[in-house]
Each structure stands twice: as C-alpha cells, then as structure tokens.
Amino acid sequence: MKYKVQVPSTQGWADLKGTIDDGENYEVELFDTREEAQASIDSIQADIPDFEGRVVTEDTEPEGDLY
C-alpha cells in the first residue's frame, strides 16, 4: 500500500500531483510510507504556512481534480 496527499478544492479533496515534464503532464505523487507523505505536507507548510493537506491511502478516490 502506498500513500498520497490530498488537498481541499472547490469540489472536495483532490490529489496532489507533480509535473513529470515541465507542466505538460501531471501525475499523483505516491509515497511508500505515511510518514513520507506527511513529510511532504510539512515541507510545503514550511513555505506556505496555511497549506492544508491530508494523507490518505492510494486507493482513496479524489472528489475533484485541480489539473
């Protein structure tokens, strides 16, 4: 089981994605452990203190899409 980060959107929770080719395409960022996913949230919050996110298992369906 892998983990991912979801962020709130106007349609509900959306998967956090990263670009794989300078913004042409985006893929869900998956982490091997819950701790690694939480570290990603913590890293973002260091730069954006009001950033909201939650750690979920990779099979948790998003309610919306930001990309």
Side-chain angles (χ1 to χ4, degrees):
M1 177 72 54
K2 291 192 179 251
Y3 298 88
K4 63 185 178 179
V5 174
Q6 289 189 332
V7 297
S9 72
T10 56
Q11 299 120 0
W13 290 97
D15 292 340
L16 181 65
K17 298 179 182 180
T19 183
I20 57 170
D21 51 12
D22 295 325
E24 288 292 317
N25 296 289
Y26 290 84
E27 291 184 355
V28 175
E29 295 183 6
L30 295 176
F31 301 90
D32 291 328
T33 66
R34 180 175 292 279
E35 291 78 17
E36 289 174 352
Q38 183 60 53
S40 177
I41 292 173
D42 295 343
S43 175
I44 295 168
Q45 285 177 332
D47 293 324
I48 308 169
D50 61 345
F51 175 81
E52 293 182 50
R54 68 179 186 176
V55 175
V56 296
T57 56
E58 67 182 316
D59 60 351
T60 303
E61 292 294 325
E63 300 168 328
D65 190 14
L66 298 174
Y67 305 85

